[in-house]
Amino acid sequence: MQFPAVQQVCVLGSTGSIGVSTLDVLARHPEQYSVYALTARERVAELAQQCRRFTPRYAVVLDEGRAAELRRELSESGVATEVLCGVAGLCQVASDARVDVVMAAIVGAAGLRPTLAAVKAGKKVLLANKESLVMAGPLFMAALTESGAQLLPIDSEHNAIFQCLPYPCDSLEAAGVEKILLTGSGGPFRNREVEELENVTPDEACAHPNWSMGRKISVDSATMMNKGLEFIEACYLFHASPQDIDIVVHPQSIIHSMVQYRDGSLLAQMGNPDMRTPIAHALAFPERIDSGVPALDLIAQGRLDFEAPDETRFPSLRLAREAIITGGSAPTVLNAANEVAVAAFLDGQLAFTAIPLIIEDVMNSAEVVELTGLDVVELADREARNLAEEALQRLRKAGAGSGETPELRSM
Ligand code: NAD
Ligand code: MG
């Protein structure tokens, strides 16, 4: 019997929450997968540890200083991994001819170029980095068609929807789909008094009830911008229009999303909230491999609840819907403004409730253009970041980041 060749895997963002879960799944199947490249921004000691364990061909860090540090650490322990740096290094490993699978798990806009490089090189791309799709959706999808790359969603909701749809699925209408039901837990502040939200701290916002994730996406979950970004992500991934998707709050995060069909069938994908399930699914698709996640115990779970989302409490949902309906660079602007506002909140510079105010302010003032190329995307991203920084400055002058911000509204 002939064994299939070992798949070479590049993990972009290997020190992050998704990166670590990916390595956990890969380590369970050494006969099927080999780690070819690992990348991290700055946690050099952690990356060195991963290199000692997985002995990749390449490791990539942010800059030359960190590269030198990593080279020193690796040579001390006799690891032959070659160290590269910067966006060029990330794009090189993401498109390397030897690589079969790329896990795109860098957080934020920084993931765009390397993820696109993997798509253009025709790789099997496991997409966790939703921001890259949100900011450059039309380009991303065109590159996918052109290169014939395979894009598999890692976001648990999109992975669930993917599992509940026929494969391939180029048209929801032709597949008999009536609605995609995108579920969300509602985050840590679903039941918090609205008046208290202004004073919540970054640590409270990052304490998600069901999922353990990086800090940026944790804050996005608390504002529900994560669901907003996922709404846009689903429009691109599944060729859906905004009317095809409803958001359903499901606090237990056991159902990861659903697809409702014309004949009354409602298909759901369920499982314990552990990202190793969608990672293992996408890695092995169309086969199934062990992920290390225990089976869901429905009796112990007992009940599943559902409710409608509260758009007054979570204005980010409305902003995201408006952005995808407007189209062009509007989602790029939304994403950039959100990244700036979330970073300011995590830095203690902005009230939690002012995050959507900054985003709305930027969306109202940024010019919307057609996304004709990567340079246009990056320019729209930069301009929106500048506008967000200006809005932050004005807000600081007006009252030290208070969540009331009538000043911001009137600017
Ligand atoms: P994280 O913050 O834990 O990890 C981010 C990784 O990206 C780290 O390895 C970091 O070194 C790297 N990175 C950050 N900035 C970089 C830069 N400028 N250049 C190069 N590398 C950089 O984030 P995470 O929670 O693992 O999320 C990663 C992505 O996956 C995000 O886009 C997030 O929305 C998405 N996602 C995460 C989860 C989850 O459960 N954590 C679920 C669904 C989707
Ligand atoms: Mg998700």
Side-chain angles (χ1 to χ4, degrees):
M1 179 181 149
Q2 186 153 22
F3 289 100
V6 174
Q7 302 255 303
Q8 300 292 330
V9 185
C10 163
V11 184
L12 302 172
S14 65
T15 53
S17 163
I18 293 288
V20 168
S21 293
T22 303
L23 291 177
D24 181 279
V25 176
L26 292 172
R28 290 166 194 275
H29 305 281
E31 71 298 339
Q32 271 171 277
Y33 305 103
S34 171
V35 175
Y36 187 78
L38 294 173
T39 86
R41 193 164 108 119
E42 54 208 351
R43 276 143 70 177
V44 171
E46 223 170 301
L47 184 59
Q49 185 52 35
Q50 293 181 340
C51 289
R52 283 190 282 272
R53 179 159 179 219
F54 293 96
T55 58
R57 169 84 180 76
Y58 291 107
V60 188
V61 285
L62 187 68
D63 51 36
E64 257 315 326
R66 291 179 176 93
E69 205 181 314
L70 182 60
R71 281 186 200 109
R72 236 183 351 262
E73 286 226 21
L74 294 180
S75 75
E76 275 167 19
S77 36
V79 178
T81 299
E82 189 174 329
V83 180
L84 308 174
C85 72
V87 180
L90 292 172
C91 293
Q92 180 184 325
V93 296
S95 58
D96 188 299
R98 295 277 312 281
V99 168
D100 302 296
V101 182
V102 175
M103 163 55 82
I106 290 175
V107 61
L112 177 61
R113 276 190 181 259
T115 307
L116 255 189
V119 169
K120 287 184 177 160
K123 304 299 182 195
K124 172 170 173 172
V125 180
L126 314 189
L127 184 72
N129 177 219
K130 66 193 87 182
E131 296 92 343
S132 61
L133 185 58
V134 168
M135 68 190 287
L139 286 184
F140 205 100
M141 298 312 285
L144 199 62
T145 313
E146 203 173 308
S147 71
Q150 188 182 27
L151 191 65
L152 290 155
I154 292 299
D155 222 332
S156 57
E157 295 76 6
H158 304 74
N159 185 270
I161 295 162
F162 181 89
Q163 293 199 48
C164 294
L165 286 172
Y167 181 81
C169 180
D170 297 327
S171 153
L172 294 177
E173 167 77 24
V177 173
E178 226 156 48
K179 279 272 180 204
I180 286 175
L181 303 185
L182 182 67
T183 56
S185 68
F189 304 138
R190 186 173 57 94
N191 291 322
R192 187 71 72 97
E193 294 297 327
V194 176
E195 306 76 59
E196 285 177 27
L197 288 180
E198 192 185 330
N199 296 318
V200 299
T201 64
D203 283 346
E204 284 176 278
C206 289
H208 196 280
N210 308 330
W211 297 96
S212 146
M213 311 180 283
R215 284 173 82 76
K216 191 265 178 180
I217 183 178
S218 296
V219 176
D220 284 347
S221 300
T223 60
M224 284 197 84
M225 181 52 94
N226 184 48
K227 216 44 57 186
L229 297 176
E230 290 182 357
F231 186 90
I232 297 173
E233 184 186 8
C235 287
Y236 289 130
L237 283 179
F238 305 115
H239 314 286
S241 58
Q243 310 81 267
D244 294 330
I245 307 172
D246 283 349
I247 294 173
V248 177
V249 173
H250 164 48
Q252 293 96 347
S253 302
I254 293 297
I255 290 183
H256 299 305
S257 276
M258 296 172 263
V259 175
Q260 179 185 317
Y261 285 89
R262 194 175 289 148
D263 61 5
S265 299
L266 183 62
L267 301 193
Q269 186 264 356
M270 297 195 259
N272 286 312
D274 186 322
M275 291 306 292
R276 290 176 301 172
T277 294
I279 291 167
H281 169 267
L283 259 179
F285 181 80
E287 281 157 31
R288 298 271 178 176
I289 55 171
D290 170 39
S291 66
V293 178
L296 176 61
D297 182 344
L298 278 176
I299 307 291
Q301 181 59 39
R303 58 183 280 181
L304 301 175
D305 297 305
F306 305 96
E307 57 194 61
D310 177 350
E311 291 205 5
T312 324
R313 178 183 295 251
F314 299 115
S316 300
L317 295 175
R318 171 179 57 81
L319 296 175
R321 190 175 296 110
E322 283 171 11
I324 187 71
I325 290 171
T326 304
S329 59
T332 324
V333 170
L334 172 96
N335 179 66
N338 181 54
E339 286 191 25
V340 172
V342 169
F345 167 68
L346 282 171
D347 207 26
Q349 305 287 317
L350 186 70
F352 180 77
T353 39
I355 297 173
L357 297 180
I358 296 279
I359 301 168
E360 184 154 27
D361 186 72
V362 174
M363 286 180 70
N364 287 339
S365 43
E367 189 192 354
V368 175
V369 296
E370 200 189 331
L371 297 181
T372 48
L374 197 52
D375 49 342
V376 180
V377 171
E378 289 182 334
L379 184 63
D381 175 80
R382 252 195 328 275
E383 285 181 354
R385 281 169 200 272
N386 291 340
L387 288 169
E389 293 292 351
E390 283 169 27
L392 279 172
Q393 293 289 349
R394 285 198 301 263
L395 196 57
R396 268 182 215 127
K397 273 195 204 138
S402 116
E404 295 185 5
T405 62
E407 303 83 1
L408 189 66
R409 283 184 189 284
S410 61
M411 281 182 304

mmCIF file of all heavy atoms in Angstrom, residues 13-19 39-42 62 90 104-108 110 128-131 154-156 211-215 217 226 230 275, ligand 1:
data_model
loop_
_atom_site.group_PDB
_atom_site.id
_atom_site.type_symbol
_atom_site.label_atom_id
_atom_site.label_comp_id
_atom_site.label_asym_id
_atom_site.label_seq_id
_atom_site.Cartn_x
_atom_site.Cartn_y
_atom_site.Cartn_z
ATOM 1 N N GLY A 13 1.465 33.046 12.294
ATOM 2 C CA GLY A 13 0.910 33.420 13.601
ATOM 3 C C GLY A 13 0.920 32.240 14.557
ATOM 4 O O GLY A 13 -0.048 31.989 15.278
ATOM 5 N N SER A 14 2.042 31.507 14.581
ATOM 6 C CA SER A 14 2.068 30.231 15.324
ATOM 7 C C SER A 14 2.075 30.400 16.839
ATOM 8 O O SER A 14 1.767 29.458 17.559
ATOM 9 C CB SER A 14 3.275 29.397 14.887
ATOM 10 O OG SER A 14 4.485 30.046 15.247
ATOM 11 N N THR A 15 2.422 31.599 17.335
ATOM 12 C CA THR A 15 2.443 31.778 18.795
ATOM 13 C C THR A 15 1.098 32.248 19.340
ATOM 14 O O THR A 15 0.931 32.379 20.550
ATOM 15 C CB THR A 15 3.514 32.814 19.196
ATOM 16 O OG1 THR A 15 3.277 34.013 18.438
ATOM 17 C CG2 THR A 15 4.914 32.301 18.922
ATOM 18 N N GLY A 16 0.138 32.514 18.453
ATOM 19 C CA GLY A 16 -1.171 32.989 18.902
ATOM 20 C C GLY A 16 -2.069 31.844 19.347
ATOM 21 O O GLY A 16 -1.672 30.669 19.308
ATOM 22 N N SER A 17 -3.262 32.223 19.730
ATOM 23 C CA SER A 17 -4.222 31.241 20.229
ATOM 24 C C SER A 17 -4.534 30.185 19.149
ATOM 25 O O SER A 17 -4.475 28.973 19.400
ATOM 26 C CB SER A 17 -5.476 32.007 20.659
ATOM 27 O OG SER A 17 -6.561 31.186 20.779
ATOM 28 N N ILE A 18 -4.822 30.632 17.926
ATOM 29 C CA ILE A 18 -5.120 29.681 16.835
ATOM 30 C C ILE A 18 -3.851 28.920 16.436
ATOM 31 O O ILE A 18 -3.895 27.712 16.190
ATOM 32 C CB ILE A 18 -5.681 30.439 15.599
ATOM 33 C CG1 ILE A 18 -7.056 31.028 15.913
ATOM 34 C CG2 ILE A 18 -5.738 29.538 14.362
ATOM 35 C CD1 ILE A 18 -8.170 30.040 16.032
ATOM 36 N N GLY A 19 -2.722 29.627 16.407
ATOM 37 C CA GLY A 19 -1.457 28.981 16.040
ATOM 38 C C GLY A 19 -1.140 27.818 16.972
ATOM 39 O O GLY A 19 -0.798 26.714 16.518
ATOM 40 N N THR A 39 5.668 31.335 12.098
ATOM 41 C CA THR A 39 5.919 32.774 12.139
ATOM 42 C C THR A 39 5.284 33.407 13.362
ATOM 43 O O THR A 39 4.252 32.946 13.842
ATOM 44 C CB THR A 39 5.356 33.510 10.888
ATOM 45 O OG1 THR A 39 3.977 33.849 11.107
ATOM 46 C CG2 THR A 39 5.481 32.686 9.620
ATOM 47 N N ALA A 40 5.964 34.446 13.870
ATOM 48 C CA ALA A 40 5.421 35.194 15.011
ATOM 49 C C ALA A 40 5.930 36.613 14.912
ATOM 50 O O ALA A 40 6.957 36.870 14.271
ATOM 51 C CB ALA A 40 5.888 34.578 16.318
ATOM 52 N N ARG A 41 5.216 37.524 15.556
ATOM 53 C CA ARG A 41 5.664 38.906 15.502
ATOM 54 C C ARG A 41 6.880 39.104 16.398
ATOM 55 O O ARG A 41 7.915 39.551 15.966
ATOM 56 C CB ARG A 41 4.510 39.789 15.941
ATOM 57 C CG ARG A 41 4.720 41.232 15.639
ATOM 58 C CD ARG A 41 3.407 41.927 15.745
ATOM 59 N NE ARG A 41 3.392 42.740 16.931
ATOM 60 C CZ ARG A 41 3.238 44.050 16.887
ATOM 61 N NH1 ARG A 41 3.094 44.658 15.744
ATOM 62 N NH2 ARG A 41 3.218 44.742 17.996
ATOM 63 N N GLU A 42 6.722 38.730 17.676
ATOM 64 C CA GLU A 42 7.818 39.093 18.594
ATOM 65 C C GLU A 42 8.092 38.113 19.728
ATOM 66 O O GLU A 42 9.114 38.213 20.378
ATOM 67 C CB GLU A 42 7.520 40.466 19.197
ATOM 68 C CG GLU A 42 6.166 40.532 19.851
ATOM 69 C CD GLU A 42 5.585 41.937 19.841
ATOM 70 O OE1 GLU A 42 6.318 42.859 19.472
ATOM 71 O OE2 GLU A 42 4.418 42.082 20.204
ATOM 72 N N LEU A 62 9.221 39.605 13.064
ATOM 73 C CA LEU A 62 8.880 40.924 12.533
ATOM 74 C C LEU A 62 10.064 41.671 11.920
ATOM 75 O O LEU A 62 9.943 42.259 10.852
ATOM 76 C CB LEU A 62 8.262 41.764 13.665
ATOM 77 C CG LEU A 62 7.691 43.110 13.262
ATOM 78 C CD1 LEU A 62 6.463 42.925 12.389
ATOM 79 C CD2 LEU A 62 7.343 43.926 14.504
ATOM 80 N N LEU A 90 7.320 36.647 5.422
ATOM 81 C CA LEU A 90 6.007 36.002 5.594
ATOM 82 C C LEU A 90 5.451 35.557 4.238
ATOM 83 O O LEU A 90 4.954 34.432 4.092
ATOM 84 C CB LEU A 90 5.007 36.968 6.252
ATOM 85 C CG LEU A 90 5.281 37.343 7.713
ATOM 86 C CD1 LEU A 90 4.342 38.456 8.164
ATOM 87 C CD2 LEU A 90 5.129 36.120 8.617
ATOM 88 N N ALA A 104 -3.660 30.604 8.015
ATOM 89 C CA ALA A 104 -3.563 32.068 8.088
ATOM 90 C C ALA A 104 -4.117 32.515 9.431
ATOM 91 O O ALA A 104 -5.321 32.732 9.584
ATOM 92 C CB ALA A 104 -4.330 32.703 6.934
ATOM 93 N N ALA A 105 -3.234 32.639 10.432
ATOM 94 C CA ALA A 105 -3.695 32.953 11.794
ATOM 95 C C ALA A 105 -2.969 34.148 12.393
ATOM 96 O O ALA A 105 -2.801 34.239 13.605
ATOM 97 C CB ALA A 105 -3.563 31.727 12.693
ATOM 98 N N ILE A 106 -2.537 35.072 11.514
ATOM 99 C CA ILE A 106 -2.040 36.360 12.018
ATOM 100 C C ILE A 106 -3.275 37.175 12.353
ATOM 101 O O ILE A 106 -4.302 37.057 11.685
ATOM 102 C CB ILE A 106 -1.171 37.060 10.937
ATOM 103 C CG1 ILE A 106 0.144 36.292 10.764
ATOM 104 C CG2 ILE A 106 -0.923 38.525 11.280
ATOM 105 C CD1 ILE A 106 1.033 36.797 9.644
ATOM 106 N N VAL A 107 -3.198 38.016 13.378
ATOM 107 C CA VAL A 107 -4.369 38.820 13.719
ATOM 108 C C VAL A 107 -4.320 40.154 12.970
ATOM 109 O O VAL A 107 -3.255 40.757 12.820
ATOM 110 C CB VAL A 107 -4.476 39.021 15.257
ATOM 111 C CG1 VAL A 107 -3.271 39.763 15.823
ATOM 112 C CG2 VAL A 107 -5.770 39.756 15.617
ATOM 113 N N GLY A 108 -5.491 40.576 12.464
ATOM 114 C CA GLY A 108 -5.628 41.914 11.896
ATOM 115 C C GLY A 108 -5.109 42.073 10.481
ATOM 116 O O GLY A 108 -4.748 41.104 9.794
ATOM 117 N N ALA A 110 -2.412 42.994 9.317
ATOM 118 C CA ALA A 110 -1.048 42.512 9.053
ATOM 119 C C ALA A 110 -1.071 41.171 8.332
ATOM 120 O O ALA A 110 -0.087 40.784 7.696
ATOM 121 C CB ALA A 110 -0.272 42.392 10.365
ATOM 122 N N ALA A 128 -8.187 31.785 9.264
ATOM 123 C CA ALA A 128 -8.645 32.276 10.571
ATOM 124 C C ALA A 128 -8.661 33.802 10.547
ATOM 125 O O ALA A 128 -9.533 34.431 11.135
ATOM 126 C CB ALA A 128 -7.718 31.771 11.674
ATOM 127 N N ASN A 129 -7.695 34.380 9.834
ATOM 128 C CA ASN A 129 -7.504 35.834 9.769
ATOM 129 C C ASN A 129 -8.657 36.514 8.996
ATOM 130 O O ASN A 129 -8.513 36.914 7.852
ATOM 131 C CB ASN A 129 -6.142 36.097 9.085
ATOM 132 C CG ASN A 129 -5.832 37.561 8.891
ATOM 133 O OD1 ASN A 129 -5.288 37.942 7.863
ATOM 134 N ND2 ASN A 129 -6.178 38.411 9.830
ATOM 135 N N LYS A 130 -9.817 36.637 9.667
ATOM 136 C CA LYS A 130 -10.999 37.162 8.979
ATOM 137 C C LYS A 130 -10.798 38.594 8.509
ATOM 138 O O LYS A 130 -11.380 39.028 7.525
ATOM 139 C CB LYS A 130 -12.226 37.072 9.898
ATOM 140 C CG LYS A 130 -12.181 37.942 11.135
ATOM 141 C CD LYS A 130 -13.272 37.568 12.142
ATOM 142 C CE LYS A 130 -12.805 36.470 13.062
ATOM 143 N NZ LYS A 130 -13.778 36.015 14.025
ATOM 144 N N GLU A 131 -9.931 39.357 9.235
ATOM 145 C CA GLU A 131 -9.745 40.764 8.867
ATOM 146 C C GLU A 131 -9.238 40.904 7.430
ATOM 147 O O GLU A 131 -9.600 41.855 6.736
ATOM 148 C CB GLU A 131 -8.763 41.449 9.830
ATOM 149 C CG GLU A 131 -9.257 41.534 11.282
ATOM 150 C CD GLU A 131 -8.809 40.347 12.137
ATOM 151 O OE1 GLU A 131 -8.401 39.303 11.570
ATOM 152 O OE2 GLU A 131 -8.864 40.449 13.378
ATOM 153 N N ILE A 154 -11.836 28.688 9.069
ATOM 154 C CA ILE A 154 -11.489 28.220 10.411
ATOM 155 C C ILE A 154 -12.386 28.857 11.467
ATOM 156 O O ILE A 154 -12.690 28.241 12.487
ATOM 157 C CB ILE A 154 -10.009 28.557 10.712
ATOM 158 C CG1 ILE A 154 -9.099 27.720 9.819
ATOM 159 C CG2 ILE A 154 -9.673 28.351 12.186
ATOM 160 C CD1 ILE A 154 -9.205 26.231 9.999
ATOM 161 N N ASP A 155 -12.822 30.078 11.216
ATOM 162 C CA ASP A 155 -13.757 30.705 12.145
ATOM 163 C C ASP A 155 -14.841 29.664 12.428
ATOM 164 O O ASP A 155 -15.403 29.086 11.487
ATOM 165 C CB ASP A 155 -14.372 31.945 11.454
ATOM 166 C CG ASP A 155 -14.470 33.106 12.407
ATOM 167 O OD1 ASP A 155 -14.589 32.878 13.618
ATOM 168 O OD2 ASP A 155 -14.403 34.252 11.920
ATOM 169 N N SER A 156 -15.137 29.408 13.701
ATOM 170 C CA SER A 156 -16.001 28.261 14.017
ATOM 171 C C SER A 156 -17.366 28.365 13.334
ATOM 172 O O SER A 156 -17.918 27.362 12.882
ATOM 173 C CB SER A 156 -16.171 28.135 15.526
ATOM 174 O OG SER A 156 -16.685 29.330 16.046
ATOM 175 N N TRP A 211 -14.991 30.966 25.114
ATOM 176 C CA TRP A 211 -13.819 30.759 24.258
ATOM 177 C C TRP A 211 -12.588 31.414 24.875
ATOM 178 O O TRP A 211 -12.692 32.484 25.454
ATOM 179 C CB TRP A 211 -14.016 31.399 22.880
ATOM 180 C CG TRP A 211 -15.127 30.859 22.049
ATOM 181 C CD1 TRP A 211 -16.382 31.367 21.965
ATOM 182 C CD2 TRP A 211 -15.098 29.726 21.168
ATOM 183 N NE1 TRP A 211 -17.126 30.628 21.081
ATOM 184 C CE2 TRP A 211 -16.366 29.615 20.577
ATOM 185 C CE3 TRP A 211 -14.104 28.804 20.810
ATOM 186 C CZ2 TRP A 211 -16.687 28.618 19.660
ATOM 187 C CZ3 TRP A 211 -14.430 27.816 19.900
ATOM 188 C CH2 TRP A 211 -15.702 27.720 19.339
ATOM 189 N N SER A 212 -11.427 30.787 24.669
ATOM 190 C CA SER A 212 -10.185 31.423 25.084
ATOM 191 C C SER A 212 -9.476 31.860 23.811
ATOM 192 O O SER A 212 -9.138 31.045 22.952
ATOM 193 C CB SER A 212 -9.379 30.395 25.880
ATOM 194 O OG SER A 212 -8.028 30.583 25.645
ATOM 195 N N MET A 213 -9.264 33.181 23.652
ATOM 196 C CA MET A 213 -8.778 33.708 22.359
ATOM 197 C C MET A 213 -7.792 34.834 22.603
ATOM 198 O O MET A 213 -7.615 35.297 23.722
ATOM 199 C CB MET A 213 -9.961 34.279 21.563
ATOM 200 C CG MET A 213 -11.151 33.365 21.465
ATOM 201 S SD MET A 213 -12.522 34.066 20.516
ATOM 202 C CE MET A 213 -13.234 35.221 21.681
ATOM 203 N N GLY A 214 -7.171 35.320 21.520
ATOM 204 C CA GLY A 214 -6.296 36.485 21.596
ATOM 205 C C GLY A 214 -7.087 37.716 22.051
ATOM 206 O O GLY A 214 -8.313 37.726 22.001
ATOM 207 N N ARG A 215 -6.352 38.766 22.483
ATOM 208 C CA ARG A 215 -7.040 39.908 23.101
ATOM 209 C C ARG A 215 -7.847 40.736 22.107
ATOM 210 O O ARG A 215 -8.903 41.254 22.426
ATOM 211 C CB ARG A 215 -6.021 40.791 23.834
ATOM 212 C CG ARG A 215 -5.599 40.128 25.158
ATOM 213 C CD ARG A 215 -4.486 40.863 25.836
ATOM 214 N NE ARG A 215 -4.885 42.026 26.627
ATOM 215 C CZ ARG A 215 -5.447 41.987 27.829
ATOM 216 N NH1 ARG A 215 -5.733 40.833 28.381
ATOM 217 N NH2 ARG A 215 -5.736 43.092 28.480
ATOM 218 N N ILE A 217 -9.472 39.809 19.267
ATOM 219 C CA ILE A 217 -10.755 39.169 18.932
ATOM 220 C C ILE A 217 -11.645 39.067 20.176
ATOM 221 O O ILE A 217 -12.872 39.122 20.072
ATOM 222 C CB ILE A 217 -10.575 37.790 18.240
ATOM 223 C CG1 ILE A 217 -11.937 37.198 17.839
ATOM 224 C CG2 ILE A 217 -9.789 36.820 19.048
ATOM 225 C CD1 ILE A 217 -11.878 35.889 17.111
ATOM 226 N N ASN A 226 -16.965 41.372 16.402
ATOM 227 C CA ASN A 226 -16.551 40.080 15.854
ATOM 228 C C ASN A 226 -17.672 39.485 15.000
ATOM 229 O O ASN A 226 -17.437 38.984 13.908
ATOM 230 C CB ASN A 226 -16.148 39.127 16.977
ATOM 231 C CG ASN A 226 -15.623 37.804 16.426
ATOM 232 O OD1 ASN A 226 -14.796 37.786 15.534
ATOM 233 N ND2 ASN A 226 -16.137 36.698 16.935
ATOM 234 N N GLU A 230 -17.739 38.846 11.060
ATOM 235 C CA GLU A 230 -18.113 37.510 10.580
ATOM 236 C C GLU A 230 -19.281 37.569 9.594
ATOM 237 O O GLU A 230 -19.382 36.743 8.678
ATOM 238 C CB GLU A 230 -18.463 36.604 11.767
ATOM 239 C CG GLU A 230 -17.231 36.253 12.582
ATOM 240 C CD GLU A 230 -17.500 35.319 13.748
ATOM 241 O OE1 GLU A 230 -18.677 34.966 13.995
ATOM 242 O OE2 GLU A 230 -16.535 34.941 14.417
ATOM 243 N N MET A 275 -11.351 25.459 19.300
ATOM 244 C CA MET A 275 -10.999 25.723 17.900
ATOM 245 C C MET A 275 -10.275 24.560 17.230
ATOM 246 O O MET A 275 -10.119 24.539 16.009
ATOM 247 C CB MET A 275 -10.164 27.002 17.788
ATOM 248 C CG MET A 275 -10.920 28.277 18.093
ATOM 249 S SD MET A 275 -12.425 28.472 17.100
ATOM 250 C CE MET A 275 -11.732 28.721 15.466
HETATM 251 P P1 NAD B 1 -3.443 36.102 18.847
HETATM 252 O O1 NAD B 1 -3.299 37.537 19.187
HETATM 253 O O2 NAD B 1 -3.501 35.104 19.923
HETATM 254 O O3 NAD B 1 -2.241 35.679 17.844
HETATM 255 C C1 NAD B 1 -1.880 36.445 16.742
HETATM 256 C C2 NAD B 1 -0.664 35.885 16.034
HETATM 257 O O4 NAD B 1 -0.338 36.786 14.964
HETATM 258 C C3 NAD B 1 0.588 35.787 16.917
HETATM 259 O O5 NAD B 1 1.358 34.689 16.534
HETATM 260 C C4 NAD B 1 1.350 37.081 16.595
HETATM 261 O O6 NAD B 1 2.737 36.967 16.788
HETATM 262 C C5 NAD B 1 1.013 37.264 15.116
HETATM 263 N N1 NAD B 1 1.036 38.674 14.717
HETATM 264 C C6 NAD B 1 0.386 39.706 15.308
HETATM 265 N N2 NAD B 1 0.665 40.860 14.666
HETATM 266 C C7 NAD B 1 1.510 40.556 13.653
HETATM 267 C C8 NAD B 1 2.182 41.325 12.658
HETATM 268 N N3 NAD B 1 2.048 42.655 12.578
HETATM 269 N N4 NAD B 1 2.992 40.672 11.792
HETATM 270 C C9 NAD B 1 3.148 39.341 11.871
HETATM 271 N N5 NAD B 1 2.556 38.556 12.790
HETATM 272 C C10 NAD B 1 1.744 39.159 13.679
HETATM 273 O O7 NAD B 1 -4.729 36.001 17.903
HETATM 274 P P2 NAD B 1 -5.719 34.753 17.706
HETATM 275 O O8 NAD B 1 -6.794 34.791 18.717
HETATM 276 O O9 NAD B 1 -4.951 33.502 17.495
HETATM 277 O O10 NAD B 1 -6.415 35.160 16.323
HETATM 278 C C11 NAD B 1 -5.741 35.055 15.091
HETATM 279 C C12 NAD B 1 -6.748 35.284 13.970
HETATM 280 O O11 NAD B 1 -7.718 34.241 14.007
HETATM 281 C C13 NAD B 1 -7.521 36.581 14.092
HETATM 282 O O12 NAD B 1 -7.740 37.124 12.829
HETATM 283 C C14 NAD B 1 -8.840 36.161 14.718
HETATM 284 O O13 NAD B 1 -9.912 36.992 14.348
HETATM 285 C C15 NAD B 1 -9.019 34.777 14.116
HETATM 286 N N6 NAD B 1 -9.837 33.872 14.922
HETATM 287 C C16 NAD B 1 -9.429 33.524 16.172
HETATM 288 C C17 NAD B 1 -10.213 32.670 16.944
HETATM 289 C C18 NAD B 1 -9.766 32.223 18.322
HETATM 290 O O14 NAD B 1 -10.431 31.392 18.921
HETATM 291 N N7 NAD B 1 -8.667 32.719 18.847
HETATM 292 C C19 NAD B 1 -11.427 32.197 16.426
HETATM 293 C C20 NAD B 1 -11.800 32.583 15.151
HETATM 294 C C21 NAD B 1 -10.998 33.416 14.389
#
